[in-house]
Amino acid sequence: MRKLFFAVMILCLFCSMALFAATTGKLAGRVTDSMGRPLAYANVILQGTQIGAQTKENGSFIIINVPPGTYNVIFTAIGYDKYTVNGVRINVDGTATVNAKLPIKGVAIEGVTVNAVQEKIQKGKVGSGRNIQMEQSGDVAVKSVEGLIALEAGVTQSGGEIHVRGGRGNEVVYSIDGMSVSDPVDGGAALSVDTDAIQDMSIMTGSFSAEYGNAQSGVVNIVTKDGDEFYSGKIEFDTDHIISEGRNSDLVKFALGGPILGNIAPALKKSLTFYINGAAAWDDGYYRALYKNSPNNDFIYRYPVYENTDSMHVITSRLLENEYSANDPYKNRKNFMGFDLGNRNFDSYNLNAKTKYVIDALQNVTFGIRGDRVTNNPFSHTWKYALDHYWSDRTDQRQYIVTYDKSFSPKQMNLKVKASYYDKVHDLGPKGVDRNNYMSLYINPDSLANPVNLAAYIRRIMNSSDYGYMSIDQIADGVMDDGYLPASFWTYRTQGLENAQNVEGFTAPGTIFDTFINDKTSTFNFRADLEYQLNSIHLAKTGFEVYKHHIVKDQLSGFLSIYEDRRQKYLDQIIDITDTLQYVDTDSTETGAFVPPQLLGVIQNGENNYIPIYKPQDYLAAAYAASGKHDSYIADPWQGAYYIQDKMEWEGMIVNLGVRTDFWYLGTKYQVKNDDGTYRYEDFKPEERLQLMVSPRLGVSHPISERDVLRFAYNYQNQLPQMQYIFTSKTPADAQVSDEIITVGNPKLQPQITVTYEVGLQHQISEDYVADITAYYKNIYNYVSTKKVSQPGQEQVYWYEYTSEDYGSARGLDLSVEKYMSNFFSANLAYSLSWAQGNNSDVVIQDVMTSLREFPLDWDIRHNLNASFSFRIDRGEEFFIPFTSLILPIDDFSANVTYNVASGSPYTPQTLLGSTALDTNSKRKDFTQNTNLKLTKTIAMNKKMSVRLFIDVQNLFKNMNVLTVYPKTGSPYVDGTDISDASTGFVYPERQVVHQLYIQNPSYVDNERNITLGVSYNF
């Protein structure tokens, strides 16, 4: 059976002769003479390239494998004048149609040149989505790829994640140059790329054809730029702290492209090119001022004192019982002309480089390398007074990709072979603490600004101070032996109460975040793509790809805790008392094989009792081995896919029919790190190692008139569960000895399935206005959940296991109206009405299924409206001010306004008395809205050089948007907690002050306006 399966796969590959990399488009049309008669063997060339074709007997032509971009198309034939169509736009996975009527030679002296009429209706579009015109994206008031995506119908942002049509945030697949850069372990976007490097970007929000896989909700397909035979580039600088305080952010970008050898080798000027760009951003964030704090100055109680009815003065009282030093993370920064030098709270760097060698008109090779680095030092309200040792992280990513592209003429067949290597490293841990040497904190407590005396903890586990390893004066006053500040230390005084009160909510100063993460993921990916235009109707595609992952998860949590059983086990390996005593001789006058106990590392404690003597380095090594708990493993799974597809294009109907098969192979075993630092192997059963999933796809587009196109799609979309739910370091055996909740992985998890039904209509309202309306319904199965498991007869010992039992559904209506650029302005309106429901919003630990009833999911944004308006005066154009005869004295100018208004996301309310939760997500937060503005002015220096000035304002009207609310009140400012004294019912004003400080969380609302000024030099 297995041999038959592979034989069929190979047969399909070679018989259909097709595969598609989703990085190119197609040009088609018909050439006739001035009388309308077809011209055979006319030449069709894309100007500046070696891409072209000849017309057939009926005058028709098809050119496949055209890189996205805007081209001038030249038509020539013997006896006829040249005919040129300028500005033909080619989109990824799209077909541009260009027809030409060639005049007989001599009628026109220098040929005919016309401008292409942009196709407003996409007749070949069988699913919902949009191609973004990256040429104008720099004028739009958004700053990132995610911002461009969020403008589309069907896309919402919630909790910092992109959600497409009710799906979870990890259901969107990101692809750069045809290769996935999504993280296989935890999903979502991985490697970032600057918008300057993007040649074309398409966003698919609904059904997508079989070449796109392992995605349930959406696909973001990015194609990066190539260089050409002319040098060009830019240098840009943006800053936000000239006009206002802002986020203290600065951005530097550059780009350069052209021939590699220039005039050194003229023959290679067109064929060997490069493009490179990079960006570096430094940002302190909206909470930059809150990183600086002084606990004693913040916890202040001001109360009036009346000497008589006419005399009153205010007494200021510090509430904290003890003194704490102020924290200023910016005090050592260097400043140059008002700009901070060095790192800030959030820094990011990215670099993209690509070279292309055109071997001949039919084949080329490209090599790309790109990478980014992101560092974060986040703000946490609860850790506000302990930020000096709160967590920080750094993520490094890189990708190497090589592509060989071969066309077979005149058969209209194209082969692409690609290979890439992707690598990601994520490090996280407490600031100022080295994972390889964190025990030095124990030995040298003075290294901390607010020392938590971990030295006392190490001293205690050494069992004795008799050997002088540590003196008692190393124990700081007011610190417990377990290394933490006692509860009585982080307290405040209340008049009328004898005992000090614990500070509510805030983490005590000097506390250390006690988790380290060092995760690494690398993926080698190989794919082969073959595309064959069988005839004027059938475009067949087929292909396969294979991924080899190497996953290293290395996480250490609770390293401030040292487990005595593991510590003693480690020490016993150094000195085995039972084995050592056979060599002990207490009479030092005797000679022979027996020696005094001191020389063997033991000491006599009583007549026949011996205890081992350990060196300081032994205790230190034992403490390392016994501290914290590991969640670490090493795995090498495989993943792959194969699909076959046929796109059939008739004059009145386009049908895209295909099927895709995805698989994973987990291997026979993987390595798991024990808490003591050693590794063991966990085996997979034979039936657990391989998973297969099949996805049929159907899309139909029916042009019912010149202005209307009706489409329908059915998709059975699969997505493999994230690897974090497959490989885990815990097993059911750990539940026998652990006092913590144990969650184990499950290699039998089923692929997550989304079944989508979609119907849509495109309608060209007028020459410049196009509307698109889409209705959809999605059923979602096999979401990852957990279930409680115990051994029969031992129900008191239990663990949790990941399982494929959660489900959901989504339905909605997407409406977009686009006004193309004419009469100096363009606009786009995108509205979504949607319902996203399910029985769980996340993978949660639960004893039983939380609900068999679907409820609104956390990202269920019922109404979402995006509007974008652009006004542009091109170079040399004149704009008359409306209702006057005056000309606006400016050109080469653009203004863009984006506006978003959305209904609030749901939350689960609670009763005011107690904390009983009501129906899940049964209430909603207030509507949110945001307006952004960008003004751009370009100053031409000559035909090739210009300076571009711009101002970018985020949240123009400083709207107050509520992000989080307290479940008892629905307010971001009032939590509804009863803080009165339990016995008297009196509310102590000091407690009211402390409570108010804690509940005023700045991350619950967003009302920040940010103004950025920028300048770029373009050549």
Side-chain angles (χ1 to χ4, degrees):
M1 187 67 182
R2 181 177 298 178
K3 292 181 178 179
L4 178 61
F5 172 76
F6 284 108
V8 173
M9 298 284 278
I10 294 172
L11 182 62
C12 290
L13 177 64
F14 286 99
C15 290
S16 63
M17 290 186 162
L19 188 140
F20 187 55
T23 59
T24 58
K26 184 171 70 171
L27 178 68
R30 192 164 181 261
V31 180
T32 61
D33 62 15
S34 57
M35 301 297 292
R37 294 170 296 196
L39 287 181
Y41 311 113
N43 294 312
V44 185
I45 297 292
L46 274 64
Q47 188 177 22
T49 74
Q50 300 184 41
I51 301 172
Q54 278 190 335
T55 59
K56 298 179 181 179
E57 292 287 345
N58 63 356
S60 66
F61 69 93
I62 297 176
I63 304 175
I64 65 172
N65 195 41
V66 182
T70 301
Y71 298 90
N72 298 332
V73 182
I74 300 174
F75 299 86
T76 59
I78 297 175
Y80 294 86
D81 277 318
K82 182 173 68 173
Y83 190 94
T84 303
V85 180
N86 292 335
V88 178
R89 176 71 191 180
I90 304 293
N91 293 319
V92 168
D93 201 15
T95 301
T97 302
V98 177
N99 297 318
K101 284 189 175 183
L102 273 62
I104 297 174
K105 199 171 186 63
V107 174
I109 299 174
E110 295 183 359
V112 176
T113 300
V114 299
N115 292 322
V117 177
Q118 187 172 358
E119 295 179 319
K120 309 298 193 304
I121 294 295
Q122 302 175 39
K123 297 181 180 179
K125 180 180 176 182
V126 296
S128 53
R130 186 166 178 259
N131 282 84
I132 295 179
Q133 305 297 322
M134 297 305 297
E135 296 93 337
Q136 304 299 329
S137 65
D139 295 334
V140 181
V142 297
K143 292 179 173 293
S144 63
V145 170
E146 290 76 15
L148 291 172
I149 296 171
L151 293 175
E152 301 307 311
V155 180
T156 59
Q157 284 186 302
S158 178
E161 289 187 320
I162 293 289
H163 298 272
V164 175
R165 289 187 174 176
R168 293 184 176 181
N170 55 31
E171 295 178 7
V172 181
V173 168
Y174 293 79
S175 172
I176 300 179
D177 288 341
M179 306 298 266
S180 174
V181 290
S182 295
D183 194 324
V185 178
D186 54 15
L191 184 66
S192 63
V193 61
D194 185 68
T195 53
D196 282 346
I198 301 176
Q199 175 68 32
D200 188 272
M201 182 168 71
S202 61
I203 302 167
M204 284 161 276
T205 56
S207 60
F208 20 90
S209 51
E211 62 262 33
Y212 302 100
N214 206 35
Q216 287 180 264
S217 292
V219 174
V220 178
N221 192 18
I222 294 172
V223 178
T224 59
K225 292 179 179 178
D226 294 323
D228 55 30
E229 60 180 306
F230 304 103
Y231 289 111
S232 62
K234 69 177 292 186
I235 300 174
E236 181 176 311
F237 173 68
D238 309 349
T239 183
D240 77 337
H241 49 87
I242 292 179
I243 295 180
S244 62
E245 289 292 329
R247 303 165 55 102
N248 189 29
S249 66
D250 296 302
L251 171 68
V252 176
K253 300 168 66 173
F254 80 92
L256 180 65
I260 290 181
L261 298 179
N263 295 325
I264 299 176
L268 296 177
K269 190 173 182 179
K270 291 185 178 181
S271 58
L272 185 59
T273 59
F274 76 96
Y275 182 86
I276 181 171
N277 87 295
W282 302 270
D283 186 2
D284 276 329
Y286 283 127
Y287 309 126
R288 58 188 295 259
L290 300 178
Y291 284 79
K292 299 171 62 174
N293 63 77
S294 176
N296 295 93
N297 291 335
D298 286 354
F299 286 83
I300 295 292
Y301 172 48
R302 297 177 176 87
Y303 56 95
V305 174
Y306 294 89
E307 296 180 357
N308 53 58
T309 56
D310 298 325
S311 176
M312 182 270 291
H313 63 277
V314 176
I315 294 180
T316 299
S317 172
R318 290 191 176 188
L319 296 179
L320 293 183
E321 189 177 25
N322 299 283
E323 288 291 328
Y324 297 92
S325 60
N327 179 43
D328 184 0
Y330 312 132
K331 61 184 178 181
N332 294 323
R333 281 191 181 175
K334 295 182 179 180
N335 188 279
F336 176 73
M337 297 180 63
F339 297 95
D340 288 339
L341 303 179
N343 294 329
R344 300 184 197 170
N345 294 325
F346 306 95
D347 300 333
S348 63
Y349 310 88
N350 68 72
L351 180 70
N352 172 76
K354 188 176 181 182
T355 63
K356 183 174 184 179
Y357 176 51
V358 179
I359 302 172
D360 54 42
L362 299 178
Q363 56 184 333
N364 63 74
V365 177
T366 61
F367 174 74
I369 177 173
R370 56 186 60 96
D372 63 23
R373 169 175 291 178
V374 178
T375 60
N376 293 304
N377 292 288
F379 174 80
S380 168
H381 181 60
T382 57
W383 281 75
K384 178 178 179 179
Y385 301 107
L387 289 174
D388 45 350
H389 295 297
Y390 187 51
W391 68 266
S392 65
D393 76 331
R394 190 179 91 177
T395 302
D396 292 286
Q397 300 175 94
R398 55 182 175 169
Q399 182 193 40
Y400 305 94
I401 179 172
V402 60
T403 301
Y404 173 70
D405 193 329
K406 172 67 174 178
S407 295
F408 300 88
S409 181
K411 296 184 178 180
Q412 291 297 305
M413 182 166 62
N414 174 255
L415 171 69
K416 281 188 176 69
V417 178
K418 297 185 177 183
S420 76
Y421 175 81
Y422 166 74
D423 180 75
K424 177 181 179 180
V425 178
H426 180 218
D427 288 310
L428 181 147
K431 285 184 283 189
V433 181
D434 182 5
R435 177 170 183 172
N436 297 320
N437 196 29
Y438 60 85
M439 285 294 171
S440 63
L441 296 173
Y442 301 168
I443 306 305
N444 180 21
D446 294 332
S447 64
L448 299 180
N450 295 298
V452 176
N453 199 343
L454 304 177
Y457 193 25
I458 292 297
R459 179 187 177 277
R460 190 184 70 175
I461 67 170
M462 290 180 178
N463 291 325
S464 175
S465 61
D466 296 342
Y467 306 108
Y469 299 140
M470 288 187 182
S471 60
I472 196 68
D473 58 9
Q474 288 180 286
I475 303 177
D477 292 336
V479 180
M480 296 174 62
D481 280 350
D482 62 0
Y484 291 94
L485 289 167
S488 60
F489 195 78
W490 181 229
T491 54
Y492 66 96
R493 302 302 306 185
T494 301
Q495 288 187 356
L497 294 179
E498 179 180 356
N499 297 323
Q501 308 300 304
N502 293 330
V503 174
E504 179 183 1
F506 292 108
T507 303
T511 304
I512 300 174
F513 185 82
D514 63 351
T515 296
F516 286 112
I517 294 177
N518 181 224
D519 291 348
K520 301 177 182 179
T521 302
S522 59
T523 299
F524 176 77
N525 183 9
F526 176 84
R527 64 180 295 164
D529 296 348
L530 185 65
E531 178 183 34
Y532 187 23
Q533 187 76 46
L534 294 169
N535 51 43
S536 60
I537 296 176
H538 295 275
L539 175 63
K541 307 172 185 178
T542 191
F544 70 92
E545 59 182 340
V546 178
Y547 297 84
K548 174 64 171 63
H549 303 294
H550 179 64
I551 303 170
V552 179
K553 183 178 182 181
D554 188 7
Q555 302 185 2
L556 176 65
S557 60
F559 66 82
L560 297 178
S561 299
I562 296 180
Y563 295 85
E564 180 61 25
D565 56 339
R566 286 160 47 196
R567 187 189 73 88
Q568 192 59 54
K569 180 180 178 181
Y570 185 91
L571 293 174
D572 290 343
Q573 295 173 350
I574 300 174
I575 299 178
D576 188 329
I577 287 291
T578 304
D579 183 63
T580 301
L581 289 181
Q582 62 179 311
Y583 299 103
V584 170
D585 180 8
T586 57
D587 187 351
S588 60
T589 61
E590 296 183 9
T591 59
F594 295 94
V595 295
Q598 291 85 351
L599 298 180
L600 292 172
V602 297
I603 189 171
Q604 189 171 8
N605 184 19
E607 183 176 352
N608 294 310
N609 185 32
Y610 294 88
I611 60 175
I613 303 175
Y614 298 107
K615 299 176 182 179
Q617 55 266 36
D618 296 333
Y619 282 113
L620 187 61
Y624 271 114
S627 64
K629 291 191 174 182
H630 285 279
D631 183 10
S632 310
Y633 58 80
I634 301 174
D636 296 278
W638 291 77
Q639 183 180 337
Y642 170 80
Y643 77 89
I644 184 170
Q645 179 177 294
D646 186 13
K647 187 174 185 180
M648 297 158 277
E649 299 187 53
W650 292 280
E651 185 176 350
M653 181 173 291
I654 295 93
V655 178
N656 202 330
L657 179 64
V659 63
R660 179 184 179 91
T661 300
D662 290 89
F663 78 89
W664 73 20
Y665 178 70
L666 300 179
T668 59
K669 56 188 176 182
Y670 69 105
Q671 298 183 67
V672 175
K673 194 174 187 179
N674 301 310
D675 284 332
D676 62 4
T678 61
Y679 278 90
R680 70 179 188 275
Y681 281 99
E682 291 290 334
D683 295 327
F684 289 118
K685 298 177 182 178
E687 64 272 18
E688 298 174 337
R689 299 171 185 171
L690 181 65
Q691 284 259 25
L692 285 174
M693 56 186 185
V694 179
S695 308
R697 310 284 175 83
L698 172 64
V700 178
S701 174
H702 175 40
I704 55 181
S705 73
E706 288 296 322
R707 290 177 173 266
D708 298 277
V709 177
L710 181 68
R711 65 178 183 272
F712 166 79
Y714 166 81
N715 265 219
Y716 190 91
Q717 297 155 197
N718 286 318
Q719 185 170 359
L720 297 171
Q722 299 165 33
M723 297 295 181
Q724 61 178 323
Y725 305 130
I726 306 299
F727 304 99
T728 57
S729 60
K730 302 302 179 184
T731 66
D734 294 312
Q736 302 285 341
V737 297
S738 177
D739 56 355
E740 300 178 352
I741 295 177
I742 298 298
T743 307
V744 303
N746 182 6
K748 292 184 179 180
L749 288 177
Q750 298 299 307
Q752 298 175 154
I753 299 171
T754 298
V755 180
T756 302
Y757 306 89
E758 175 184 305
V759 60
L761 173 68
Q762 293 181 75
H763 172 64
Q764 186 169 347
I765 302 172
S766 65
E767 183 179 352
D768 297 322
Y769 288 85
V770 173
D772 190 303
I773 185 169
T774 303
Y776 64 89
Y777 183 81
K778 295 165 49 171
N779 278 320
I780 308 168
Y781 309 99
N782 295 343
Y783 267 156
V784 177
S785 181
T786 60
K787 64 179 181 180
K788 188 176 181 180
V789 182
S790 60
Q791 294 181 355
Q794 295 184 348
E795 283 72 18
Q796 73 280 6
V797 179
Y798 63 89
W799 61 93
Y800 293 88
E801 182 179 84
Y802 293 113
T803 183
S804 302
E805 294 185 358
D806 279 355
Y807 51 87
S809 65
R811 65 188 188 278
L813 188 71
D814 292 339
L815 171 66
S816 66
V817 179
E818 184 169 6
K819 195 275 182 187
Y820 288 84
M821 179 60 71
S822 64
N823 298 323
F824 302 99
F825 81 95
S826 64
N828 186 72
L829 183 73
Y831 168 72
S832 298
L833 171 66
S834 64
W835 290 261
Q837 296 181 305
N839 71 316
N840 267 322
S841 294
D842 204 350
V843 180
V844 296
I845 302 298
Q846 53 193 19
D847 291 346
V848 295
M849 185 69 68
T850 55
S851 176
L852 296 178
R853 176 186 60 85
E854 292 186 11
F855 51 78
L857 298 173
D858 291 349
W859 53 89
D860 177 44
I861 309 295
R862 191 61 45 83
H863 303 277
N864 187 60
L865 173 68
N866 284 295
S868 177
F869 175 88
S870 294
F871 171 77
R872 188 168 75 242
I873 306 174
D874 287 331
R875 187 177 303 177
E877 288 187 330
E878 294 180 342
F879 176 77
F880 286 87
I881 300 174
F883 310 110
T884 72
S885 59
L886 300 177
I887 297 175
L888 190 68
I890 191 173
D891 68 349
D892 223 344
F893 169 82
S894 72
N896 174 260
V897 177
T898 63
Y899 175 71
N900 170 262
V901 59
S903 56
S905 58
Y907 71 94
T908 302
Q910 291 181 352
T911 57
L912 285 174
L913 299 177
S915 57
T916 304
L918 301 178
D919 288 344
T920 304
N921 283 348
S922 57
K923 285 195 174 183
R924 290 185 176 271
K925 305 163 195 170
D926 293 337
F927 269 73
T928 63
Q929 60 178 324
N930 189 62
T931 305
N932 301 327
L933 169 69
K934 188 169 187 178
L935 305 176
T936 305
K937 175 68 177 81
T938 302
I939 302 172
M941 303 175 69
N942 56 40
K943 290 184 178 181
K944 296 183 177 180
M945 293 186 291
S946 64
V947 174
R948 179 172 171 266
L949 308 173
F950 65 87
I951 180 171
D952 192 325
V953 185
Q954 301 290 305
N955 197 4
L956 176 65
F957 301 113
K958 209 172 183 179
N959 295 116
M960 174 73 72
N961 293 316
V962 175
L963 306 179
T964 306
V965 297
Y966 290 103
K968 287 185 178 181
T969 63
S971 166
Y973 305 113
V974 181
D975 66 345
T977 301
D978 182 7
I979 61 173
S980 62
D981 185 88
S983 57
T984 66
F986 178 71
V987 177
Y988 290 94
E990 293 89 349
R991 185 179 183 190
Q992 180 70 32
V993 170
V994 174
H995 183 74
Q996 282 298 116
L997 279 175
Y998 172 58
I999 66 173
Q1000 298 299 309
N1001 192 328
S1003 66
Y1004 281 19
V1005 297
D1006 177 17
N1007 66 336
E1008 299 292 335
R1009 178 194 293 133
N1010 199 56
I1011 303 175
T1012 300
L1013 297 179
V1015 57
S1016 67
Y1017 169 67
N1018 305 273
F1019 59 92

